[in-house]
Amino acid sequence: DSGVTQTPKHLITATGQRVTLRCSPRSGDLSVYWYQQSLDQGLQFLIQYYNGEERAKGNILERFSAQQFPDLHSELNLSSLELGDSALYFCASSPRTGVLSSYNEQFFGPGTRLTVL
Amino acid sequence: DAKTTQPNSMESNEEEPVHLPCNHSTISGTDYIHWYRQLPSQGPEYVIHGLTSNVNNRMASLAIAEDRKSSTLILHRATLRDAAVYYCILLGSSNTGKLIFGQGTTLQVKP
């Protein structure tokens, strides 16, 4: 158990709909990262928040948005869903941001499996 | 962040050592070498990281070439639980911590 929780575990929805994925980081971790894993694209970084502020952006579609709340939990919102959005969505957390000589490993949650029909 | 090259797949026998190679010929002097692995049906997990010197922890060892253009993750005694996809990732000093995953190496461990 990494200490990172994600809800829901599974989500089945239809094209055109909107969903929200939730992530609770490990206690004390300030950084939250979102990743998408699909069969054809592999693991892709989407976006990072640090202490409530967006810190880095990857291949995140405009239909997707995220935020980190004052209690440090994060939500990933996916709208106008398409079949191709079906994937595993992972959240990870780490104590800090940046690459330091000291320890800043990322702890991944179990993921949310999204199926768009 | 510089690119890494790993073999697509490797096989090992249980209880034997495994050496997983990673080439990163364009690595810069301040790039950290990180290894993560993803067990079946789980999220990735951190394995080890290093900068210049070889590193050991309870999971594995990381051997870094003197010119830093390659590195090797060493599992000293493979178990069936070590069957996973192993990712070698470089993080530049200006990186915020985000991980850019390549294809990784799928390790199969035979009993």
Side-chain angles (χ1 to χ4, degrees):
Chain A
D1 183 359
S2 66
V4 177
T5 59
Q6 290 187 247
T7 56
K9 283 195 169 67
H10 302 277
L11 199 48
I12 301 174
T13 188
T15 55
Q17 295 298 305
R18 173 189 170 94
V19 297
T20 297
L21 312 184
R22 182 187 169 104
C23 169
S24 292
R26 287 189 328 151
S27 176
D29 282 357
L30 299 178
S31 269
V32 169
Y33 310 77
W34 286 97
Y35 296 86
Q36 179 194 58
Q37 185 169 34
S38 59
L39 281 174
D40 54 344
Q41 297 286 335
L43 266 164
Q44 287 200 95
F45 166 73
L46 295 179
I47 197 163
Q48 175 196 3
Y49 278 83
Y50 174 72
N51 205 18
E53 293 190 2
E54 183 183 304
R55 186 53 63 106
K57 221 167 184 175
N59 297 326
I60 187 166
L61 300 171
E62 283 190 16
R63 301 183 285 108
F64 296 1
S65 65
Q67 58 185 123
Q68 186 180 28
F69 294 85
D71 67 353
L72 300 177
H73 91 272
S74 178
E75 291 181 356
L76 179 67
N77 300 297
L78 316 176
S79 61
S80 303
L81 284 168
E82 301 175 0
L83 296 177
D85 298 327
S86 295
L88 257 175
Y89 291 84
F90 288 107
C91 165
S93 73
S94 68
R96 297 172 290 278
T97 185
V99 178
L100 307 172
S101 59
S102 56
Y103 195 62
N104 194 31
E105 77 172 72
Q106 288 186 32
F107 295 85
F108 283 75
T112 293
R113 182 171 293 281
L114 173 66
T115 302
V116 182
L117 300 176
Chain B
D1 297 313
K3 191 179 170 180
T4 62
T5 304
Q6 300 178 252
N8 286 335
S9 62
M10 289 185 66
E11 278 187 4
S12 171
N13 293 318
E14 199 176 9
E15 299 194 2
E16 289 185 357
V18 182
H19 288 65
L20 296 162
C22 180
N23 286 321
H24 28 79
S25 57
T26 59
I27 191 171
S28 75
T30 55
D31 285 347
Y32 287 83
I33 303 162
H34 285 243
W35 285 80
Y36 280 75
R37 71 180 185 180
Q38 186 174 21
L39 303 172
S41 303
Q42 294 188 28
E45 65 175 347
Y46 168 84
V47 178
I48 200 166
H49 81 278
L51 183 61
T52 56
S53 305
N54 294 344
V55 184
N56 300 300
N57 66 20
R58 62 174 179 81
M59 285 182 71
S61 295
L62 177 59
I64 301 172
E66 200 169 325
D67 64 4
R68 300 210 326 127
K69 293 187 176 182
S70 65
S71 60
T72 302
L73 179 70
I74 302 166
L75 307 179
H76 295 286
R77 285 184 67 199
T79 68
L80 296 178
R81 195 193 171 276
D82 291 320
V85 181
Y86 287 79
Y87 297 97
C88 169
I89 302 169
L90 300 185
L91 296 185
S93 57
S94 62
N95 187 301
T96 63
K98 65 182 189 287
L99 299 173
I100 306 301
F101 291 87
Q103 294 304 306
T105 297
T106 299
L107 175 66
Q108 185 181 7
V109 180
K110 296 183 289 186

